[in-house]
Structures are given as C-alpha cells and as structure tokens.
Amino acid sequence: MAKIEIYCDECRQDLLVNKSVINKNNRFTVLGGIWIDGNVREDFKSNISNLRKKYHIYGEIKWKKVSNNKLEFYKEIIKIFFEFTNISFRAVVIDSEVFDIYKYHNNSGELGFYKCYYQLLKEWIFRDNEYNIFLDYRKDKSRRRVNDLKKCINNYLNNDAVKNIQFINSKESILLQLEDVIMGCIGYKYNYGYKGKSKAKNTIIEEIEKYFIIKETSSSKKKFNIFKINLRKSDNKNV
C-alpha cells in the first residue's frame, strides 16, 4: 500500500463567480494537484534545495515570479519534476464562461468550487492506497466543505482511502510552490496560447512542452494529465 500525498491549489478562481472580469485572455480557471509518494518526498525536496543553493534563490517559488533573471532556475525545476519518479501532476481546466453556479451549485460559489476539486481528485485516487491531501490556505476556507469533499471521494471509492484533507500555507510547502508554477503555466497557455507577453513565461511553457504538449490529455497519461471539464454535460450530483 502506497502512502500518497497530494498538494492542490487553483488559479483565476475569481472567474467562476465574477463573469464581469472574463475576457479573451482571462477565461480559463485551473485547479491543479501534485501527487507524490510519501517515501520519496524528502529526496525530491533535497533536489529542490540543492537547486536553490546553486542559483542562490531562497524565497517562495511562484509562477508570477518567473522572470528572465530567474529563467534557468525555473527551467531546471521543470526538468527535475519530469525526470523524477513517483511524482505526477494533474489539472482540471474550467471554461468560466459556462460555469453556472445558479443551475448546478445551489447559487453557492463555494459548493461549485469544491465540486471542481472533486473532479480533479477522484480519478487519481485508488482504493489500495492511502491519501493525505493538502490545499493551499484560502481566506474563505470552509472546514465543512473539505470534510464533505473527503466523504464524497471515499463514498465514490466505497472505502476510506482519503485519510485527511487540510489547509496549509504555500510559503511552508515547496510542493505547493512547485504546483503553483506548473498550474500557472497551464493557465497561461490556455488563456494566451503562445501569445502571452512574458518571454520568460513562454519559455517555461516551451520547457514543459519538451515533455508534454499543454492540452487536454487522455486518462492514460499518468505523469502529466490535463482534463478540461465540459460543464454543459458534466454530472454535478456527486458532491
């Protein structure tokens, strides 16, 4: 039995409840998660620590900090992720223009938000493993919602594979920070294509696409997986 840790966050989530800010380059919300076997976590973190020392970068790693003067550092982070075993990334991409909280989510943005997390998590959680899930701290966090999320995933599996879901501060978690970089890259590609104004961010997109093209993937892609929800057809009754 593997003991898996999952580190999750979201970007452009305001689009889900505030359609007034949606435009052609600000349309897609992304929820993402890093799955890592607990047995290799410290080894992976050691690799990132050595990389920080190499480039003398010790602050929080974030997508918004990708810049020309830190470009080689971020390129090597991506390389470490793709070449390291027992660590994977999955994202759910949501077209916010068709996200309807009135129709599917009882007029509750929070309920709709956690339904999207359910879609992110359930396909990559299996009965034979144990899971601890860590979400980046949110100002509007709801303990009841995460408890409901845990219950719904375990009901889907018909066991108690998910042991815990809790909020943590991304400043204290290198894995949440790495997740932010990869998730931010996906959001940037979906919202700008290859026409984003940041040369450095476009370079990181190119770095990821040496391994996988940033587009919806088949469920068989276990290292790097992107699922674009069809909200017009998805069944939202499970959460």
Side-chain angles (χ1 to χ4, degrees):
M1 175 184 291
K3 294 185 177 181
I4 307 299
E5 298 172 3
I6 308 175
Y7 296 82
C8 302
D9 199 2
E10 66 281 341
C11 68
R12 301 178 191 251
Q13 64 272 24
D14 58 313
L15 301 177
L16 300 178
V17 294
N18 184 6
K19 293 187 181 295
S20 67
V21 297
I22 296 174
N23 59 55
K24 67 177 183 178
N25 296 132
N26 193 38
R27 172 177 172 179
F28 294 98
T29 297
V30 182
L31 281 71
I34 281 180
W35 273 246
I36 187 167
D37 190 313
N39 291 327
V40 304
R41 179 198 345 105
E42 292 306 315
D43 190 19
F44 182 81
K45 289 170 64 176
S46 178
N47 276 261
I48 299 299
S49 178
N50 290 336
L51 188 64
R52 285 180 182 274
K53 293 175 183 177
K54 176 181 177 180
Y55 287 97
H56 306 287
I57 293 175
Y58 298 101
E60 188 175 6
I61 298 168
K62 293 182 71 68
W63 173 247
K64 71 178 183 180
K65 292 187 176 182
V66 173
S67 58
N68 289 332
N69 65 331
K70 297 179 180 177
L71 190 55
E72 293 305 313
F73 170 75
Y74 280 97
K75 285 170 68 175
E76 285 205 45
I77 287 176
I78 298 303
K79 182 179 180 181
I80 288 173
F81 167 77
F82 279 106
E83 295 184 356
F84 205 90
T85 58
N86 295 321
I87 182 169
S88 303
F89 178 87
R90 173 172 162 80
V92 164
V93 177
I94 305 158
D95 185 344
S96 299
E97 283 192 341
V98 296
F99 183 88
D100 191 338
I101 62 172
Y102 299 98
K103 184 174 181 180
Y104 294 119
H105 313 298
N106 300 324
N107 201 23
S108 169
E110 278 293 288
L111 176 59
F113 180 81
Y114 282 103
K115 285 183 177 181
C116 294
Y117 258 124
Y118 176 77
Q119 295 297 328
L120 171 70
L121 293 165
K122 72 181 182 71
E123 297 301 326
W124 271 21
I125 292 181
F126 305 101
R127 296 167 54 89
D128 296 336
N129 297 328
E130 290 185 1
Y131 297 86
N132 284 289
I133 301 171
F134 304 94
L135 307 180
D136 191 17
Y137 180 88
R138 305 178 67 233
K139 290 181 180 179
D140 56 350
K141 70 182 188 299
S142 168
R143 185 70 249 175
R144 181 177 69 83
R145 290 293 186 204
V146 295
N147 286 337
D148 288 345
L149 178 61
K150 173 185 172 183
K151 180 180 178 181
C152 288
I153 295 172
N154 284 337
N155 285 345
Y156 173 76
L157 296 170
N158 196 30
N159 79 349
D160 61 347
V162 178
K163 301 302 180 183
N164 185 47
I165 302 180
Q166 68 183 79
F167 294 100
I168 61 174
N169 191 327
S170 62
K171 292 180 180 179
E172 300 171 358
S173 171
I174 187 60
L175 286 156
L176 268 181
Q177 293 172 39
L178 173 63
E179 189 279 334
D180 180 88
V181 173
I182 300 175
M183 174 187 62
C185 190
I186 292 169
Y188 201 79
K189 170 69 180 296
Y190 266 87
N191 282 289
Y192 289 99
Y194 294 104
K195 298 180 180 180
K197 294 182 179 180
S198 170
K199 182 178 179 181
K201 287 182 168 67
N202 289 331
T203 298
I204 299 303
I205 289 174
E206 293 171 1
E207 195 68 23
I208 287 180
E209 292 192 329
K210 290 179 181 178
Y211 302 90
F212 292 96
I213 300 299
I214 298 175
K215 64 178 182 179
E216 188 170 6
T217 61
S218 70
S219 59
S220 63
K221 299 295 184 182
K222 298 302 183 184
K223 179 68 175 183
F224 186 78
N225 185 277
I226 299 174
F227 172 58
K228 187 170 180 290
I229 293 180
N230 184 342
L231 285 164
R232 292 187 176 92
K233 297 180 180 180
S234 60
D235 181 359
N236 295 282
K237 296 179 181 179
N238 292 315
V239 179

